[in-house]
Amino acid sequence: MGNMPLFVFFKDIRNVFKADELGLEIVHIALPTLLALLADPVASLVDTAFVGHIGPVELAAVGISIAVFNQVSKIAIFPLVSITTSFVAEEDATEELRANEQVHENVENGTPISMEMEMEELVPLVGKSSSTEMVKLECVRRHIPSASSALVVGSILGFIQAVFLIFAANPVLNYMGVDSNSPMLKPARQYLTLRSLGAPAVLLSLAVQGVFRGFKDTKTPLYATIVGDVANIILDPILMFVFHMGVRGAAIAHVVSQYLISLILLWKLNKQVDLLTSGVKDLRFGQFLKNGFLLLVRVIAATFCVTLAAALAARQGPTTMAAFQVCLQIWLAASLLADGLAVAGQAILASAFARKDHSKAVATASRVLQFGSRIFTKDINVLQLISLGIPFVAVTQPINALAFVFDGVNYGASDFAYSAYSMVLVALVSILCLFLLSSHGFVGIWVALSVFMSLRALVGFWRIGTGMGPWSFLRE
């Protein structure tokens, strides 16, 4: 590689789809994550479809409420999940190295090893395949302080979010352009208030998912998500149309599904991790807060752009907002598929950096980046606007894929500071574009969102391509 870090993007490019050990490891982590990430947007699309058949006003109301809920949720979700994944992967790799060193030392000194020690310490020596890691998971309840820290932080943040949204629903919706005279206010307030009751379950379940991702186990979150989303889809028509609850039924169905997912994940995690042995001194609250603040800045900047776009669409009326909601759900559903590769890259890279295995870090970054590059309403006016937005949804997918994968790669390197500051700069430029281009209507908003995602991909490319920060070893 010499002094050209840019070559990392082309390293072993012929092997991008090769089914070697690294390729299989990425696929085993990424594929279940892709399916899990797809499941939730699909459930949201089903919600959107059901609500759309009530009327365009209700569809627009639910759209603006979801934008508000997602804005507040993402302020806590992405820092919590990203930090948890990296910390758990690092702790797990460090503990594995320590166990291996202890076993080797015992063997060299002739110290006898008990059957219990063999079970707890020799398993990591068997290999690094996902199947071996699952054997280890099943045999030993591990002591991972970051897991306990994540659950505590997630529970507290979820409670705070619920209280905030319930008591601030009216002023927040007014800020989003839904004033007291708007026909969207009542259904939007109903949906937002009821859905907020599920905030503790959302934050807690995602904290647990971060732990499983750190263990490179993405199948368990997938199964739990599928069960919860199927319950949501089944309850939607029953509560909305059989019990005539309208948008309230959609919100209640979603809340029930989130608590179901949380219970399943906690039950499974308790079998694998000893969650109650960590004392206060062992918990990593300081590191969670420090790095969490950096990612909080990043998430606020990123989600503010999307939320501002929703607010500008809402100010143009229910028809524009309804069309924007449908296009946004499709856009996010397709874009977040790339997050599966981001999760795989983050988990493997965090483990590689903890082991100081730079060769694997380079190989992983190259492979995931190369992978990454490679019926809702009957209202005729809404449908006409949707037809204008769909081309932007389709054209921006390659850009979105790279942006998400770059995020995961930099998180895996614990490059949280750069991720935060670069996103603030991107957000400032994108906000300016939104205000300037929104005067051109629905299409102008989508052009500005395309600029936003392009800049996100660019700053990720720049960090690794110039060999800065944790990637400085690429210039050696």
Side-chain angles (χ1 to χ4, degrees):
M1 258 178 309
N3 295 320
M4 295 292 290
L6 190 64
F7 287 161
V8 71
F9 300 116
F10 309 102
K11 177 179 168 57
D12 299 326
I13 193 167
R14 293 181 179 179
N15 298 328
V16 61
F17 296 117
K18 185 178 180 181
D20 55 7
E21 183 179 351
L22 178 58
L24 292 175
E25 186 177 11
I26 291 173
V27 170
H28 287 158
I29 297 172
L31 184 58
T33 305
L34 291 174
L35 296 174
L37 291 169
L38 177 63
D40 192 59
V42 166
S44 294
L45 284 170
V46 173
D47 279 348
T48 303
F50 282 128
V51 174
H53 285 286
I54 299 176
V57 171
E58 286 77 9
L59 178 60
V62 169
I64 201 69
S65 297
I66 290 176
V68 170
F69 187 88
N70 287 344
Q71 163 72 6
V72 177
S73 296
K74 288 178 182 178
I75 288 175
I77 285 174
F78 281 113
L80 178 62
V81 177
S82 298
I83 292 171
T84 301
T85 299
S86 292
F87 284 3
V88 169
E90 291 169 5
E91 285 184 4
D92 196 38
T94 301
E95 287 298 316
E96 188 173 313
L97 286 173
R98 189 176 303 155
N100 290 346
E101 291 172 0
Q102 182 63 47
V103 172
H104 288 149
E105 183 179 341
N106 289 341
V107 171
E108 290 175 0
N109 296 335
T111 304
I113 302 176
S114 67
M115 290 300 294
E116 181 178 359
M117 290 176 64
E118 287 182 359
M119 180 64 70
E120 295 183 357
E121 297 179 343
L122 288 179
V123 169
L125 295 175
V126 177
K128 296 181 180 180
S129 67
S130 58
S131 60
T132 301
E133 291 173 355
M134 290 307 298
V135 171
K136 180 184 174 187
L137 282 174
E138 294 172 359
C139 295
V140 182
R141 290 184 73 203
R142 286 167 286 184
H143 175 65
I144 305 291
S146 290
S148 302
S149 304
L151 296 185
V152 174
V153 173
S155 300
I156 293 173
L157 290 176
F159 177 76
I160 293 173
Q161 179 184 330
V163 172
F164 171 75
L165 287 177
I166 289 172
F167 288 98
N170 273 1
V172 170
L173 289 171
N174 289 340
Y175 173 78
M176 293 293 292
V178 184
D179 57 36
S180 56
N181 296 321
S182 173
M184 293 187 287
L185 180 60
K186 183 178 178 180
R189 182 176 60 236
Q190 289 176 340
Y191 186 88
L192 180 60
T193 302
L194 287 171
R195 183 160 175 174
S196 299
L197 296 174
V202 172
L203 270 295
L204 184 59
S205 67
L206 287 167
V208 180
Q209 288 188 47
V211 176
F212 279 114
R213 290 178 180 181
F215 292 152
K216 303 178 186 176
D217 174 13
T218 52
K219 290 183 179 178
T220 300
L222 169 62
Y223 299 148
T225 301
I226 289 175
V227 172
D229 287 344
V230 168
N232 184 19
I233 293 172
I234 293 173
L235 288 174
D236 262 340
I238 295 174
L239 296 178
M240 292 173 63
F241 303 118
V242 177
F243 289 95
H244 306 289
M245 299 180 71
V247 296
R248 292 177 300 159
I252 292 172
H254 196 88
V255 169
V256 171
S257 71
Q258 291 302 318
Y259 277 99
L260 180 58
I261 292 172
S262 296
L263 290 174
I264 294 172
L265 288 174
L266 282 173
W267 173 60
K268 297 293 289 185
L269 182 63
N270 191 53
K271 290 183 176 182
Q272 301 178 14
V273 178
D274 195 347
L275 300 172
L276 301 178
T277 58
S278 298
V280 176
K281 293 182 179 179
D282 291 334
L283 300 179
R284 303 179 65 178
F285 288 137
Q287 290 172 296
F288 264 82
L289 292 175
K290 176 185 176 181
N291 293 299
F293 176 76
L294 291 172
L295 287 187
L296 178 64
V297 171
R298 173 186 173 82
V299 170
I300 290 175
T303 57
F304 182 79
C305 291
V306 178
T307 305
L308 176 61
L312 293 171
R315 285 180 169 85
Q316 296 181 15
T319 299
T320 301
M321 183 57 212
F324 180 85
Q325 164 63 6
V326 173
C327 291
L328 183 65
Q329 287 297 326
I330 297 172
W331 190 62
L332 293 176
S335 299
L336 287 176
L337 293 178
D339 205 26
L341 285 174
V343 169
Q346 181 183 0
I348 298 172
L349 279 167
S351 180
F353 272 102
R355 293 186 172 94
K356 300 188 184 301
D357 187 352
H358 288 163
S359 61
K360 185 167 185 178
V362 171
T364 302
S366 301
R367 190 72 65 88
V368 296
L369 287 169
Q370 290 161 13
F371 267 123
S373 60
R374 302 286 191 181
I375 306 181
F376 302 105
T377 180
K378 295 179 181 179
D379 190 281
I380 188 63
N381 295 320
V382 174
L383 290 171
Q384 287 176 348
L385 284 180
I386 289 174
S387 67
L388 296 176
I390 291 300
F392 291 97
V393 174
V395 171
T396 56
Q397 290 315 304
I399 298 171
N400 296 353
L402 282 174
F404 280 107
V405 173
F406 273 121
D407 288 347
V409 168
N410 283 319
Y411 292 164
S414 295
D415 199 6
F416 300 123
Y418 176 79
S419 296
Y421 301 141
S422 62
M423 181 56 73
V424 171
L425 180 60
V426 167
L428 290 175
V429 176
S430 301
I431 289 169
L432 178 62
C433 290
L434 277 167
F435 279 117
L436 291 176
L437 296 175
S438 63
S439 60
H440 296 283
F442 185 75
V443 172
I445 293 174
W446 278 102
V447 171
L449 286 177
S450 301
V451 171
F452 166 62
M453 294 304 296
S454 299
L455 292 175
R456 282 185 62 175
L458 178 62
V459 297
F461 174 86
W462 178 263
R463 184 64 160 181
I464 301 175
T466 55
M468 299 169 61
W471 301 99
S472 59
F473 69 86
L474 294 174
R475 292 184 276 111
E476 298 175 358

